Amino acid sequence: PPMVSSGVRIGTAALAARGFGADAFAEVADVIGCTLNPASSEAELRSLRDRVGDLAAQHPLYPALLEEVAVR
């Protein structure tokens, strides 16, 4: 139940609202799994940050706002 802490809870509704599909969710899962690997090097962590940035860029939070700014 939500009131009993038993692990990590991830808000998938927020990602779905941004337009994440099955492939993007798989990428998120892979990034999380790689991040939790205690053997990850600094270079690997930087690569993961880039992957997260790419996902965020592909699925902007407010796409209509970006379009409005581009028109100006």
Side-chain angles (χ1 to χ4, degrees):
M3 300 308 290
V4 177
S5 56
S6 59
V8 176
R9 296 180 61 91
I10 298 173
T12 56
L15 297 180
R18 288 179 76 157
F20 280 54
D23 291 341
F25 273 106
E27 176 75 358
V28 169
D30 189 58
V31 167
I32 291 170
C34 292
T35 302
L36 295 175
N37 179 359
S40 294
S41 68
E42 278 300 315
E44 290 168 322
L45 293 175
R46 279 192 298 278
S47 172
L48 293 171
R49 285 185 205 107
D50 291 342
R51 288 169 64 185
V52 170
D54 290 343
L55 279 169
Q58 292 168 20
H59 305 282
L61 188 54
Y62 301 109
L65 181 62
L66 293 175
E67 291 168 10
E68 182 180 322
V69 170
V71 171
R72 290 182 183 176

